[in-house]
Amino acid sequence: MRVLTVIGNRPQFVKAGAVSTRLREVHEEVLVHTGQHYDDELSTVFVGELGIPAPEVQLELGSGSNTEQTARMLAALGPLLDEQRPDVVLVYGDTNSTLAGGLAGAQAGIPVTHVEAGMRSFDRRMPEELNRVLTDHLSSLLLAPSTSAVENLRREAATGAVELVGDVMVDVALLVQPRARRDDAPLRAAGVDAGEYVVATAHRAGNVDEPRRLEELVELLLAVPDTVVLPLHPRTRARLEAAGLLDRLAAGVRLLPPVGYLAFTALLTRARAVLTDSGGVQKEAYLAGVPCVTLRDTTEWVETVRHGWNMLVDLDREAALAALGRTPPVQRPALYGEGDAGTRVVEALTRHPFLRAARSASP
Ligand code: UD1
Ligand code: UDP
């Protein structure tokens, strides 16, 4: 069977890290990088670190508004699918690259498999929520990371086959975190000691694109009494520069360029707490047993909140400071699988009836 996988963003490199190598043991894969992320530190660094095969196709489509970027991807993916003729299109998560891959596949009559299906923030102002809902409803196979995701898909009467496989990011985190805990170099480079700093990330459009919200974010980060280490996403850097806030933030927060997965995991596992608006980082903090404070008022990873390890504070400074001061609970059950989601994705692809049909039809 021939699988064409579409990736394009930092978290999708991590997700492909759990699947691509295993997939290639049993099937043929064509990995397509849309080029939505193009800086080395958001893309190629992960290929080397996580043993992901180098993408066979680089579309180099770059940045743009959500609509423009998605349209450019669709225009490139249509002819590519005609040329490659895969049996299935595989997409991950909720970015513009996810929707473009899914829609191009469905329009070409190729079954689409969505990994990380069923996640919902129920906030349609987020481009990611639109991408998730649309991708789920055009996919034939919906591979969900949690029971709440399965319930969401059932409630929406999604027409694809739904399977609970766990979260592929967990596979990678469980593999890398023990090693990262012993790696002091990223802490030395940031000038911090284990347990004595907070690691932060922020890049959600809803937090950084509007100057008033961006300023609230800056004031919140500056109010944290601990040393804050913030590897700065390029979107956020650009918005801070445009708003004239970069120097103010740099005066009180340790700013780094985006770092690779191994360095970030070292910083995360030894932090006293995490402050983030990232989806992936909320889960990774939970797995590392580091309390998380999420700079949003919704999350798709609701179980981390229910189990007391994650608090949603939006950009409320006082709420964030209070949340940073709390003691985490003792229990930390496996919420998103045991680290075998990659294997289960490949098994589901191999077992699924539409794919068996594709295999028996191929010469
Ligand atoms: C995208 C995803 C988001 C995901 C994030 C992962 C969508 C709608 N958003 O957000 O869900 O959480 O990736 O990090 O798909 N830029 C660079 N270099 C790069 C890439 C981007 O400088 O390699 C800058 C450009 O100024 C660009 C901006 O960052 O305009 C935003 O990039 P974009 O890919 O549109 O969205 P992200 O904020 O990265
Ligand atoms: N990450 C990284 N370096 C950084 C910040 C994050 O490697 O400087 C990793 C992080 O460990 C997680 C992923 O990037 O695996 C999350 O990506 P991001 O926050 O960009 O996107 P989201 O998960 O919000 O879609």
Side-chain angles (χ1 to χ4, degrees), residues 84-115:
Q84 294 284 340
R85 299 184 162 276
D87 300 308
V88 62
V89 170
L90 177 66
V91 293
Y92 298 97
D94 56 17
T95 74
N96 295 339
S97 299
T98 313
L99 176 61
L103 187 52
Q107 294 283 23
I110 301 164
V112 175
T113 294
H114 185 203
V115 172

PDB file of all heavy atoms in Angstrom, residues 84-115:
ATOM      1  N   GLN A  84       1.335  11.010  -7.936  1.00  0.00           N
ATOM      2  CA  GLN A  84       1.791   9.977  -6.996  1.00  0.00           C
ATOM      3  C   GLN A  84       0.809   8.814  -6.852  1.00  0.00           C
ATOM      4  O   GLN A  84       1.190   7.727  -6.465  1.00  0.00           O
ATOM      5  CB  GLN A  84       2.037  10.591  -5.598  1.00  0.00           C
ATOM      6  CG  GLN A  84       3.176  11.589  -5.553  1.00  0.00           C
ATOM      7  CD  GLN A  84       4.538  10.903  -5.569  1.00  0.00           C
ATOM      8  OE1 GLN A  84       4.671   9.721  -5.244  1.00  0.00           O
ATOM      9  NE2 GLN A  84       5.563  11.642  -5.978  1.00  0.00           N
ATOM     10  N   ARG A  85      -0.465   9.060  -7.055  1.00  0.00           N
ATOM     11  CA  ARG A  85      -1.532   8.044  -6.966  1.00  0.00           C
ATOM     12  C   ARG A  85      -1.434   7.172  -5.711  1.00  0.00           C
ATOM     13  O   ARG A  85      -1.338   5.945  -5.793  1.00  0.00           O
ATOM     14  CB  ARG A  85      -1.520   7.143  -8.204  1.00  0.00           C
ATOM     15  CG  ARG A  85      -1.758   7.906  -9.471  1.00  0.00           C
ATOM     16  CD  ARG A  85      -1.828   7.002 -10.674  1.00  0.00           C
ATOM     17  NE  ARG A  85      -2.450   7.685 -11.780  1.00  0.00           N
ATOM     18  CZ  ARG A  85      -3.761   7.784 -11.963  1.00  0.00           C
ATOM     19  NH1 ARG A  85      -4.583   7.229 -11.134  1.00  0.00           N
ATOM     20  NH2 ARG A  85      -4.253   8.447 -12.990  1.00  0.00           N
ATOM     21  N   PRO A  86      -1.459   7.777  -4.529  1.00  0.00           N
ATOM     22  CA  PRO A  86      -1.396   6.959  -3.312  1.00  0.00           C
ATOM     23  C   PRO A  86      -2.731   6.235  -3.062  1.00  0.00           C
ATOM     24  O   PRO A  86      -3.771   6.628  -3.613  1.00  0.00           O
ATOM     25  CB  PRO A  86      -1.153   8.006  -2.218  1.00  0.00           C
ATOM     26  CG  PRO A  86      -1.771   9.252  -2.748  1.00  0.00           C
ATOM     27  CD  PRO A  86      -1.575   9.215  -4.237  1.00  0.00           C
ATOM     28  N   ASP A  87      -2.676   5.202  -2.203  1.00  0.00           N
ATOM     29  CA  ASP A  87      -3.904   4.503  -1.801  1.00  0.00           C
ATOM     30  C   ASP A  87      -4.579   5.231  -0.655  1.00  0.00           C
ATOM     31  O   ASP A  87      -5.775   5.052  -0.412  1.00  0.00           O
ATOM     32  CB  ASP A  87      -3.559   3.071  -1.347  1.00  0.00           C
ATOM     33  CG  ASP A  87      -2.913   2.293  -2.465  1.00  0.00           C
ATOM     34  OD1 ASP A  87      -3.503   2.267  -3.561  1.00  0.00           O
ATOM     35  OD2 ASP A  87      -1.809   1.742  -2.262  1.00  0.00           O
ATOM     36  N   VAL A  88      -3.799   6.010   0.096  1.00  0.00           N
ATOM     37  CA  VAL A  88      -4.348   6.727   1.247  1.00  0.00           C
ATOM     38  C   VAL A  88      -3.527   7.993   1.475  1.00  0.00           C
ATOM     39  O   VAL A  88      -2.325   8.024   1.184  1.00  0.00           O
ATOM     40  CB  VAL A  88      -4.357   5.800   2.499  1.00  0.00           C
ATOM     41  CG1 VAL A  88      -2.971   5.354   2.895  1.00  0.00           C
ATOM     42  CG2 VAL A  88      -5.033   6.462   3.690  1.00  0.00           C
ATOM     43  N   VAL A  89      -4.208   9.030   1.960  1.00  0.00           N
ATOM     44  CA  VAL A  89      -3.517  10.250   2.388  1.00  0.00           C
ATOM     45  C   VAL A  89      -3.576  10.286   3.913  1.00  0.00           C
ATOM     46  O   VAL A  89      -4.652  10.092   4.500  1.00  0.00           O
ATOM     47  CB  VAL A  89      -4.185  11.515   1.784  1.00  0.00           C
ATOM     48  CG1 VAL A  89      -3.624  12.786   2.427  1.00  0.00           C
ATOM     49  CG2 VAL A  89      -3.975  11.549   0.272  1.00  0.00           C
ATOM     50  N   LEU A  90      -2.419  10.516   4.543  1.00  0.00           N
ATOM     51  CA  LEU A  90      -2.341  10.532   6.006  1.00  0.00           C
ATOM     52  C   LEU A  90      -2.012  11.944   6.463  1.00  0.00           C
ATOM     53  O   LEU A  90      -1.057  12.563   5.966  1.00  0.00           O
ATOM     54  CB  LEU A  90      -1.230   9.558   6.436  1.00  0.00           C
ATOM     55  CG  LEU A  90      -0.892   9.448   7.916  1.00  0.00           C
ATOM     56  CD1 LEU A  90      -2.062   8.853   8.693  1.00  0.00           C
ATOM     57  CD2 LEU A  90       0.346   8.578   8.119  1.00  0.00           C
ATOM     58  N   VAL A  91      -2.810  12.479   7.398  1.00  0.00           N
ATOM     59  CA  VAL A  91      -2.534  13.821   7.936  1.00  0.00           C
ATOM     60  C   VAL A  91      -2.600  13.801   9.462  1.00  0.00           C
ATOM     61  O   VAL A  91      -3.273  12.957  10.054  1.00  0.00           O
ATOM     62  CB  VAL A  91      -3.520  14.884   7.378  1.00  0.00           C
ATOM     63  CG1 VAL A  91      -3.303  15.107   5.889  1.00  0.00           C
ATOM     64  CG2 VAL A  91      -4.976  14.528   7.664  1.00  0.00           C
ATOM     65  N   TYR A  92      -1.905  14.764  10.068  1.00  0.00           N
ATOM     66  CA  TYR A  92      -1.814  14.851  11.533  1.00  0.00           C
ATOM     67  C   TYR A  92      -2.315  16.205  12.026  1.00  0.00           C
ATOM     68  O   TYR A  92      -1.934  17.254  11.478  1.00  0.00           O
ATOM     69  CB  TYR A  92      -0.345  14.792  11.972  1.00  0.00           C
ATOM     70  CG  TYR A  92       0.407  13.541  11.646  1.00  0.00           C
ATOM     71  CD1 TYR A  92       1.206  13.476  10.513  1.00  0.00           C
ATOM     72  CD2 TYR A  92       0.356  12.438  12.497  1.00  0.00           C
ATOM     73  CE1 TYR A  92       1.935  12.332  10.220  1.00  0.00           C
ATOM     74  CE2 TYR A  92       1.080  11.297  12.207  1.00  0.00           C
ATOM     75  CZ  TYR A  92       1.862  11.247  11.077  1.00  0.00           C
ATOM     76  OH  TYR A  92       2.589  10.120  10.794  1.00  0.00           O
ATOM     77  N   GLY A  93      -3.076  16.189  13.103  1.00  0.00           N
ATOM     78  CA  GLY A  93      -3.314  17.412  13.872  1.00  0.00           C
ATOM     79  C   GLY A  93      -4.315  18.367  13.258  1.00  0.00           C
ATOM     80  O   GLY A  93      -5.375  17.944  12.762  1.00  0.00           O
ATOM     81  N   ASP A  94      -3.982  19.646  13.260  1.00  0.00           N
ATOM     82  CA  ASP A  94      -5.003  20.680  13.034  1.00  0.00           C
ATOM     83  C   ASP A  94      -4.479  21.932  12.330  1.00  0.00           C
ATOM     84  O   ASP A  94      -5.034  23.010  12.489  1.00  0.00           O
ATOM     85  CB  ASP A  94      -5.597  21.087  14.390  1.00  0.00           C
ATOM     86  CG  ASP A  94      -4.523  21.546  15.368  1.00  0.00           C
ATOM     87  OD1 ASP A  94      -3.403  21.856  14.919  1.00  0.00           O
ATOM     88  OD2 ASP A  94      -4.799  21.585  16.581  1.00  0.00           O
ATOM     89  N   THR A  95      -3.434  21.811  11.559  1.00  0.00           N
ATOM     90  CA  THR A  95      -2.878  23.021  10.934  1.00  0.00           C
ATOM     91  C   THR A  95      -3.412  23.183   9.511  1.00  0.00           C
ATOM     92  O   THR A  95      -4.123  22.322   8.991  1.00  0.00           O
ATOM     93  CB  THR A  95      -1.337  22.965  10.897  1.00  0.00           C
ATOM     94  OG1 THR A  95      -0.956  22.022   9.888  1.00  0.00           O
ATOM     95  CG2 THR A  95      -0.744  22.544  12.233  1.00  0.00           C
ATOM     96  N   ASN A  96      -2.991  24.267   8.875  1.00  0.00           N
ATOM     97  CA  ASN A  96      -3.418  24.474   7.478  1.00  0.00           C
ATOM     98  C   ASN A  96      -2.905  23.341   6.592  1.00  0.00           C
ATOM     99  O   ASN A  96      -3.577  22.955   5.625  1.00  0.00           O
ATOM    100  CB  ASN A  96      -2.911  25.828   6.980  1.00  0.00           C
ATOM    101  CG  ASN A  96      -3.562  26.980   7.739  1.00  0.00           C
ATOM    102  OD1 ASN A  96      -4.628  26.809   8.339  1.00  0.00           O
ATOM    103  ND2 ASN A  96      -2.928  28.140   7.729  1.00  0.00           N
ATOM    104  N   SER A  97      -1.738  22.806   6.913  1.00  0.00           N
ATOM    105  CA  SER A  97      -1.204  21.673   6.134  1.00  0.00           C
ATOM    106  C   SER A  97      -2.092  20.438   6.301  1.00  0.00           C
ATOM    107  O   SER A  97      -2.254  19.643   5.368  1.00  0.00           O
ATOM    108  CB  SER A  97       0.227  21.346   6.580  1.00  0.00           C
ATOM    109  OG  SER A  97       1.070  22.457   6.359  1.00  0.00           O
ATOM    110  N   THR A  98      -2.685  20.283   7.488  1.00  0.00           N
ATOM    111  CA  THR A  98      -3.588  19.148   7.742  1.00  0.00           C
ATOM    112  C   THR A  98      -4.827  19.255   6.859  1.00  0.00           C
ATOM    113  O   THR A  98      -5.205  18.306   6.167  1.00  0.00           O
ATOM    114  CB  THR A  98      -4.053  19.160   9.224  1.00  0.00           C
ATOM    115  OG1 THR A  98      -2.927  19.365  10.076  1.00  0.00           O
ATOM    116  CG2 THR A  98      -4.795  17.894   9.587  1.00  0.00           C
ATOM    117  N   LEU A  99      -5.455  20.428   6.906  1.00  0.00           N
ATOM    118  CA  LEU A  99      -6.694  20.610   6.128  1.00  0.00           C
ATOM    119  C   LEU A  99      -6.414  20.485   4.634  1.00  0.00           C
ATOM    120  O   LEU A  99      -7.164  19.818   3.916  1.00  0.00           O
ATOM    121  CB  LEU A  99      -7.327  21.976   6.434  1.00  0.00           C
ATOM    122  CG  LEU A  99      -8.571  22.287   5.596  1.00  0.00           C
ATOM    123  CD1 LEU A  99      -9.676  21.264   5.835  1.00  0.00           C
ATOM    124  CD2 LEU A  99      -9.086  23.690   5.869  1.00  0.00           C
ATOM    125  N   ALA A 100      -5.322  21.108   4.182  1.00  0.00           N
ATOM    126  CA  ALA A 100      -5.029  21.060   2.743  1.00  0.00           C
ATOM    127  C   ALA A 100      -4.785  19.614   2.304  1.00  0.00           C
ATOM    128  O   ALA A 100      -5.317  19.172   1.276  1.00  0.00           O
ATOM    129  CB  ALA A 100      -3.823  21.940   2.430  1.00  0.00           C
ATOM    130  N   GLY A 101      -4.013  18.869   3.072  1.00  0.00           N
ATOM    131  CA  GLY A 101      -3.743  17.464   2.729  1.00  0.00           C
ATOM    132  C   GLY A 101      -5.038  16.669   2.696  1.00  0.00           C
ATOM    133  O   GLY A 101      -5.296  15.894   1.766  1.00  0.00           O
ATOM    134  N   GLY A 102      -5.871  16.869   3.714  1.00  0.00           N
ATOM    135  CA  GLY A 102      -7.130  16.124   3.802  1.00  0.00           C
ATOM    136  C   GLY A 102      -8.072  16.471   2.661  1.00  0.00           C
ATOM    137  O   GLY A 102      -8.619  15.584   1.991  1.00  0.00           O
ATOM    138  N   LEU A 103      -8.237  17.763   2.410  1.00  0.00           N
ATOM    139  CA  LEU A 103      -9.190  18.184   1.377  1.00  0.00           C
ATOM    140  C   LEU A 103      -8.713  17.767  -0.015  1.00  0.00           C
ATOM    141  O   LEU A 103      -9.506  17.272  -0.828  1.00  0.00           O
ATOM    142  CB  LEU A 103      -9.403  19.705   1.462  1.00  0.00           C
ATOM    143  CG  LEU A 103     -10.493  20.288   0.571  1.00  0.00           C
ATOM    144  CD1 LEU A 103     -11.829  19.569   0.745  1.00  0.00           C
ATOM    145  CD2 LEU A 103     -10.663  21.786   0.858  1.00  0.00           C
ATOM    146  N   ALA A 104      -7.423  17.917  -0.269  1.00  0.00           N
ATOM    147  CA  ALA A 104      -6.900  17.512  -1.586  1.00  0.00           C
ATOM    148  C   ALA A 104      -7.110  16.006  -1.778  1.00  0.00           C
ATOM    149  O   ALA A 104      -7.506  15.562  -2.861  1.00  0.00           O
ATOM    150  CB  ALA A 104      -5.423  17.882  -1.703  1.00  0.00           C
ATOM    151  N   GLY A 105      -6.873  15.222  -0.718  1.00  0.00           N
ATOM    152  CA  GLY A 105      -7.066  13.767  -0.805  1.00  0.00           C
ATOM    153  C   GLY A 105      -8.527  13.439  -1.085  1.00  0.00           C
ATOM    154  O   GLY A 105      -8.860  12.685  -2.006  1.00  0.00           O
ATOM    155  N   ALA A 106      -9.424  14.034  -0.297  1.00  0.00           N
ATOM    156  CA  ALA A 106     -10.855  13.733  -0.454  1.00  0.00           C
ATOM    157  C   ALA A 106     -11.350  14.153  -1.838  1.00  0.00           C
ATOM    158  O   ALA A 106     -12.106  13.421  -2.489  1.00  0.00           O
ATOM    159  CB  ALA A 106     -11.649  14.424   0.650  1.00  0.00           C
ATOM    160  N   GLN A 107     -10.907  15.324  -2.310  1.00  0.00           N
ATOM    161  CA  GLN A 107     -11.342  15.786  -3.640  1.00  0.00           C
ATOM    162  C   GLN A 107     -10.841  14.853  -4.740  1.00  0.00           C
ATOM    163  O   GLN A 107     -11.492  14.703  -5.772  1.00  0.00           O
ATOM    164  CB  GLN A 107     -10.806  17.204  -3.927  1.00  0.00           C
ATOM    165  CG  GLN A 107     -11.375  18.287  -3.029  1.00  0.00           C
ATOM    166  CD  GLN A 107     -12.795  18.704  -3.412  1.00  0.00           C
ATOM    167  OE1 GLN A 107     -13.510  17.941  -4.050  1.00  0.00           O
ATOM    168  NE2 GLN A 107     -13.206  19.882  -2.983  1.00  0.00           N
ATOM    169  N   ALA A 108      -9.691  14.219  -4.501  1.00  0.00           N
ATOM    170  CA  ALA A 108      -9.145  13.296  -5.507  1.00  0.00           C
ATOM    171  C   ALA A 108      -9.750  11.893  -5.363  1.00  0.00           C
ATOM    172  O   ALA A 108      -9.353  10.969  -6.071  1.00  0.00           O
ATOM    173  CB  ALA A 108      -7.621  13.244  -5.375  1.00  0.00           C
ATOM    174  N   GLY A 109     -10.653  11.719  -4.408  1.00  0.00           N
ATOM    175  CA  GLY A 109     -11.277  10.406  -4.207  1.00  0.00           C
ATOM    176  C   GLY A 109     -10.363   9.412  -3.501  1.00  0.00           C
ATOM    177  O   GLY A 109     -10.570   8.203  -3.579  1.00  0.00           O
ATOM    178  N   ILE A 110      -9.357   9.925  -2.809  1.00  0.00           N
ATOM    179  CA  ILE A 110      -8.422   9.043  -2.086  1.00  0.00           C
ATOM    180  C   ILE A 110      -8.822   9.048  -0.613  1.00  0.00           C
ATOM    181  O   ILE A 110      -9.034  10.125  -0.033  1.00  0.00           O
ATOM    182  CB  ILE A 110      -6.967   9.562  -2.243  1.00  0.00           C
ATOM    183  CG1 ILE A 110      -6.597   9.619  -3.731  1.00  0.00           C
ATOM    184  CG2 ILE A 110      -5.982   8.690  -1.459  1.00  0.00           C
ATOM    185  CD1 ILE A 110      -5.372  10.459  -4.018  1.00  0.00           C
ATOM    186  N   PRO A 111      -8.953   7.870   0.025  1.00  0.00           N
ATOM    187  CA  PRO A 111      -9.340   7.866   1.438  1.00  0.00           C
ATOM    188  C   PRO A 111      -8.309   8.593   2.302  1.00  0.00           C
ATOM    189  O   PRO A 111      -7.104   8.451   2.104  1.00  0.00           O
ATOM    190  CB  PRO A 111      -9.410   6.382   1.803  1.00  0.00           C
ATOM    191  CG  PRO A 111      -9.148   5.614   0.570  1.00  0.00           C
ATOM    192  CD  PRO A 111      -8.749   6.538  -0.524  1.00  0.00           C
ATOM    193  N   VAL A 112      -8.821   9.368   3.248  1.00  0.00           N
ATOM    194  CA  VAL A 112      -7.956  10.161   4.126  1.00  0.00           C
ATOM    195  C   VAL A 112      -7.985   9.564   5.530  1.00  0.00           C
ATOM    196  O   VAL A 112      -9.046   9.208   6.039  1.00  0.00           O
ATOM    197  CB  VAL A 112      -8.450  11.632   4.168  1.00  0.00           C
ATOM    198  CG1 VAL A 112      -7.641  12.458   5.160  1.00  0.00           C
ATOM    199  CG2 VAL A 112      -8.398  12.249   2.770  1.00  0.00           C
ATOM    200  N   THR A 113      -6.811   9.466   6.140  1.00  0.00           N
ATOM    201  CA  THR A 113      -6.705   9.055   7.538  1.00  0.00           C
ATOM    202  C   THR A 113      -6.219  10.245   8.354  1.00  0.00           C
ATOM    203  O   THR A 113      -5.210  10.861   8.010  1.00  0.00           O
ATOM    204  CB  THR A 113      -5.710   7.877   7.676  1.00  0.00           C
ATOM    205  OG1 THR A 113      -6.261   6.749   6.995  1.00  0.00           O
ATOM    206  CG2 THR A 113      -5.470   7.508   9.122  1.00  0.00           C
ATOM    207  N   HIS A 114      -6.964  10.565   9.417  1.00  0.00           N
ATOM    208  CA  HIS A 114      -6.598  11.702  10.266  1.00  0.00           C
ATOM    209  C   HIS A 114      -6.133  11.200  11.624  1.00  0.00           C
ATOM    210  O   HIS A 114      -6.889  10.573  12.362  1.00  0.00           O
ATOM    211  CB  HIS A 114      -7.812  12.633  10.437  1.00  0.00           C
ATOM    212  CG  HIS A 114      -7.503  13.882  11.185  1.00  0.00           C
ATOM    213  ND1 HIS A 114      -8.449  14.613  11.850  1.00  0.00           N
ATOM    214  CD2 HIS A 114      -6.320  14.529  11.389  1.00  0.00           C
ATOM    215  CE1 HIS A 114      -7.884  15.668  12.415  1.00  0.00           C
ATOM    216  NE2 HIS A 114      -6.583  15.631  12.165  1.00  0.00           N
ATOM    217  N   VAL A 115      -4.865  11.472  11.917  1.00  0.00           N
ATOM    218  CA  VAL A 115      -4.301  11.129  13.222  1.00  0.00           C
ATOM    219  C   VAL A 115      -4.459  12.347  14.132  1.00  0.00           C
ATOM    220  O   VAL A 115      -4.088  13.454  13.742  1.00  0.00           O
ATOM    221  CB  VAL A 115      -2.805  10.751  13.094  1.00  0.00           C
ATOM    222  CG1 VAL A 115      -2.163  10.574  14.464  1.00  0.00           C
ATOM    223  CG2 VAL A 115      -2.646   9.488  12.258  1.00  0.00           C
TER     224      VAL A 115
END
